[in-house]
């Protein structure tokens, strides 16, 4: 299969075209056709010579997703199931959420996931491969076209572990950021990770303005390891050290995700441990009522417990909010993007 031309950042595209004997401004024109005008064929790139259009279509394809299924929640959230158009017929999911400040899309970064978190439905999907930069960006393009909207925020919280697909995710972000690309600022992008420590350092050194979210879920190594196997490789002390480095280098607040599961990580002892762990850090805690997945061991905490947990943290000087749940009736809420329909 030919390379998807949407995989290239503008600089990479300049290099590609240079190797074909073309001037850099040609790359800018192609890039604009792809991401501003959003054409689907090389023939439509009418400011290029017919000869160049032919050369491009011999070498590259313009990747496109097909919508296999679309579900709409009563709260307006939409879940899209896409056929990525590869030879294996792989399918992925993305979610569109509507907030008062605009539209947010939750994108997938991999086909399947290797992290094995016990509470997450993506764990049931066998890992197939990383999504390419063009495929990460395509989720936005396809949804904007179908829903006739402009996305303002992007969260890497769909299927996959973005820091396990670091280079492609970074390239996708460059395309998304580029004023000649999607022109969405890094401040409007969140990367969520289960805690791949070396990549957190790498991300910090890139000095992006993206928001980093850490899926913490417990401040206790034994408990966290039982929920998230990645904790065996990168325990909490190392994770927090990396987070402190990230904050120091970027001067940005980190968001800690904490999904509350009944009788597991939701009592006041847990809140106490969490407050101690995050004390003095430039941090925000996002409390999420855990979504029960099929055959899942965990069930949602009671509302009362969640509020108590939040109040304890707030009283201890830790900023904590309870995340509003969107799309749970269509299995589009946190961690629910699931195997159903997926190979
Ligand atoms: N791999 C990345 C991003 C994908 S998961 C990560 O781990 O952060 C996106 C978020 O949904 C994470 O915070 C994850 O912990 C959370 N999540 C997964 N399953 C969940 C569930 N069943 N209920 C609530 N949140 C869940």
């Amino acid at each position: 299969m030919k390379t998807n031309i949407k995989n290239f950042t503008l600089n990479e595209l300049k290099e590609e075209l240079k190797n074909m004997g073309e001037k850099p401004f040609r790359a800018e024109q192609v890039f604009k056709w792809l991401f501003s005008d959003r054409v689907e064929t090389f023939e439509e790139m009418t400011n290029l010579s017919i000869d160049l259009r032919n050369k491009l279509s011999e070498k590259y394809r313009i990747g496109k997703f097909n919508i296999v299924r679309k579900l709409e929640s009563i709260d307006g959230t939409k879940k899209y199931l896409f056929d990525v158009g590869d030879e294996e017929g792989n399918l992925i999911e993305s979610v569109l959420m509507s907030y008062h400040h605009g539209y947010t899309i939750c994108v997938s970064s991999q086909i399947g996931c290797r992290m094995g978190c016990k509470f997450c439905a993506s764990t049931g999907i066998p890992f197939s491969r990383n999504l390419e930069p063009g495929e990460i960006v395509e989720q936005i393009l396809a949804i904007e076209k179908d829903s006739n909207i402009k996305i303002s925020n992007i969260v890497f919280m769909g299927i996959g572990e973005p820091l396990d697909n670091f280079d492609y995710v970074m390239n996708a972000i460059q395309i998304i950021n580029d004023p000649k690309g999607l022109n969405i600022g890094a401040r409007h992008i969140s990367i969520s990770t289960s805690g791949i420590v070396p990549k957190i350092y790498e991300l910090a050194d890139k000095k992006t303005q993206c928001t980093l979210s850490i899926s913490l879920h417990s401040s206790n190594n034994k408990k966290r390891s039982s929920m998230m196997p990645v904790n065996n490789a990168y325990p909490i002390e190392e994770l927090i050290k990396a987070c402190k480095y990230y904050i120091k280098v970027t001067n940005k607040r980190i968001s800690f995700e904490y999904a509350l599961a009944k009788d597991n990580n939701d009592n006041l002892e847990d809140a106490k441990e969490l407050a101690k762990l995050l004390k003095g850090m430039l941090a925000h805690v996002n409390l999420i009522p855990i979504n029960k997945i099929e055959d899942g061991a965990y069930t949602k905490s009671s509302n009362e417990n969640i509020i108590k947990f939040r109040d304890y943290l707030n009283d201890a000087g830790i900023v904590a909010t309870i995340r509003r749940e969107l799309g749970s009736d269509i299995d589009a809420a946190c961690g629910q993007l699931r195997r159903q329909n997926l190979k």
Side-chain angles (χ1 to χ4, degrees), residues 160-287:
E161 166 51 54
L163 297 192
D164 186 36
N165 182 15
F166 192 81
D167 295 341
Y168 283 177
V169 167
M170 290 303 117
N171 279 9
I173 289 176
Q174 271 194 52
I175 298 168
I176 293 167
N177 280 168
D178 200 311
K180 295 191 178 73
L182 273 62
N183 195 21
I184 299 174
R187 284 168 204 280
H188 298 275
I189 301 174
S190 290
I191 301 174
S192 180
T193 180
S194 55
I196 304 192
V197 164
K199 296 293 173 189
I200 296 173
Y201 285 102
E202 223 176 295
L203 188 67
D205 290 335
K206 283 197 176 285
K207 301 200 170 54
T208 73
Q209 283 302 304
C210 295
T211 300
L212 180 63
S213 288
I214 303 286
S215 299
L216 187 64
H217 307 314
S218 174
S219 311
N220 174 293
N221 273 319
K222 197 160 162 246
K223 210 175 269 187
R224 189 167 190 266
S225 293
S226 74
M227 301 172 82
M228 308 175 71
V230 67
N231 195 65
N232 291 309
Y234 306 114
I236 294 169
E237 309 72 61
E238 285 181 35
L239 177 59
I240 294 296
K241 209 167 131 198
C243 289
K244 287 184 172 159
Y245 179 80
Y246 187 91
I247 294 168
K248 194 171 119 207
V249 169
T250 62
N251 205 21
K252 282 194 65 91
R253 184 172 83 160
I254 289 185
S255 174
F256 287 90
E257 309 294 305
Y258 197 105
L260 290 150
K262 188 165 175 261
D263 301 330
N264 173 53
N265 61 351
D266 69 340
N267 63 42
L268 282 185
E269 269 316 298
D270 295 294
K272 210 182 240 176
E273 247 180 319
L274 179 59
K276 202 169 141 209
L277 186 72
L278 302 183
K279 189 95 208 151
M281 272 175 90
L282 193 57
H284 171 262
V285 177
N286 239 323
L287 297 171

Side-chain angles (χ1 to χ4, degrees), residues 1-5 8 16 20 41-43 45 48-62:
M1 212 173 190
K2 291 182 219 169
T3 305
N4 179 5
I5 195 164
F8 299 117
E16 290 291 312
M20 294 168 79
T41 63
F42 290 105
E43 291 84 77
M45 300 184 178
L48 309 182
S49 68
I50 293 185
D51 181 47
L52 178 56
R53 284 183 245 166
N54 288 340
K55 277 203 280 188
L56 287 171
S57 66
E58 269 162 36
K59 201 161 172 202
Y60 308 104
R61 67 191 165 89
I62 301 181

Side-chain angles (χ1 to χ4, degrees), residues 16 34 56 60 78 96 98 122 125 129 145 169 172 195 231 242 244 258 260 277 283 301 304 320:
E16 290 291 312
L34 294 172
L56 287 171
Y60 308 104
K78 287 185 198 169
L96 173 68
S98 163
S122 302
I125 309 164
R129 64 174 174 84
K145 183 174 177 203
V169 167
N231 195 65
K244 287 184 172 159
Y258 197 105
L260 290 150
L277 186 72
S301 278
E304 194 193 338

